[in-house]
Amino acid sequence: DQQVKQNSPSLSVQEGRISILNCDYTNSMFDYFLWYKKYPAEGPTFLISISSIKDKNEDGRFTVFLNKSAKHLSLHIVPSQPGDSAVYFCAADTGTASKLTFGTGTRLQVTL
Amino acid sequence: GAGVSQSPRYKVAKRGQDVALRCDPISGHVSLFWYQQALGQGPEFLTYFQNEAQLDKSGLPSDRFFAERPEGSVSTLKIQRTQQEDSAVYLCASSPPTSGMAFFGQGTRLTVV
């Protein structure tokens, strides 16, 4: 039972363009969402988060959008840079801060 | 160090061997988590501590898996009688009180041969 889904295993984007990574969830109890970035042989690194009381959170080149009615969130990276090439994981929490449920990840490749 | 530290980074175990994986969380972080990440998958929750109390161990796949955090700081994940299906990266994370934001270590890659 995959409660957090990232249906695109990979994405290729040209440098300078926008990268859009998508995530869907099924558990309506989730109320806090996070994006993590992972380079090979490293642990996931926190990128940006959003609480369910908001529909948008922005931090520099990174913006996360949340559509609660559709149980969908997306991460926008603009402009994309080669250093953004990594695997991105969407994660969700029920607000208890006791565990995260992760998606399977999307591998982003930013080409020159 | 400032981040979550895990050791060893890599471990090769023969099937049936016991292993112990160590995690040093960020100082002052009350919450500590263990996750298992299989190849091509996202991290999956194993267990959660708040200080020394193990509040949730629902993700531990079998009774061969055991975790402890006796003094509320360093934690050890022990796997007894390892099996090939235990091969994965084991990630430890810690977070400040009441925060859902977890900070991860680099993980321990366990290979059971």
Side-chain angles (χ1 to χ4, degrees), chain A residues 23-59:
Chain A
C23 177
D24 297 289
Y25 62 95
T26 57
N27 188 344
S28 57
M29 298 299 291
F30 289 144
D31 70 353
Y32 184 63
F33 303 89
L34 308 90
W35 284 94
Y36 281 84
K37 174 180 178 179
K38 187 181 182 305
Y39 292 118
E42 294 185 13
T45 302
F46 171 76
L47 196 55
I48 192 170
S49 64
I50 188 166
S51 164
S52 61
I53 61 173
K54 294 185 174 182
D55 55 16
K56 176 182 174 181
N57 187 27
E58 191 172 351
D59 183 3

Side-chain angles (χ1 to χ4, degrees), chain B:
Chain B
V4 177
S5 177
Q6 291 187 246
S7 60
R9 285 293 311 277
Y10 303 92
K11 176 71 180 176
V12 178
K14 291 186 178 178
R15 195 160 59 99
Q17 188 179 353
D18 296 350
V19 298
L21 313 180
R22 178 188 167 103
C23 173
D24 265 288
I26 294 172
S27 177
H29 279 194
V30 168
S31 300
L32 185 144
F33 310 84
W34 284 98
Y35 288 82
Q36 180 190 59
Q37 185 175 17
L39 194 62
Q41 302 296 314
E44 291 202 4
F45 172 81
L46 292 177
T47 187
Y48 158 61
F49 290 86
Q50 192 171 89
N51 294 307
E52 69 279 3
Q54 189 175 24
L55 299 186
D56 186 348
K57 54 181 181 179
S58 62
L60 296 177
S62 79
D63 58 8
R64 296 185 295 103
F65 287 70
F66 172 76
E68 60 183 4
R69 194 187 185 197
E71 297 176 0
S73 178
V74 171
S75 176
T76 304
L77 176 67
K78 296 180 180 178
I79 309 173
Q80 296 178 323
R81 305 182 303 282
T82 51
Q83 304 294 316
Q84 280 194 314
E85 63 262 28
D86 301 335
S87 296
V89 175
Y90 290 85
L91 294 163
C92 177
S94 68
S95 67
T98 69
S99 169
M101 186 194 312
F103 295 83
F104 284 83
Q106 292 181 299
T108 294
R109 180 178 294 279
L110 173 65
T111 304
V112 181
V113 296

Side-chain angles (χ1 to χ4, degrees), chain A residues 8-21:
Chain A
S8 298
S10 63
L11 174 68
S12 183
V13 171
Q14 209 168 20
E15 181 182 12
R17 304 273 188 158
I18 185 171
S19 296
I20 300 177
L21 295 92

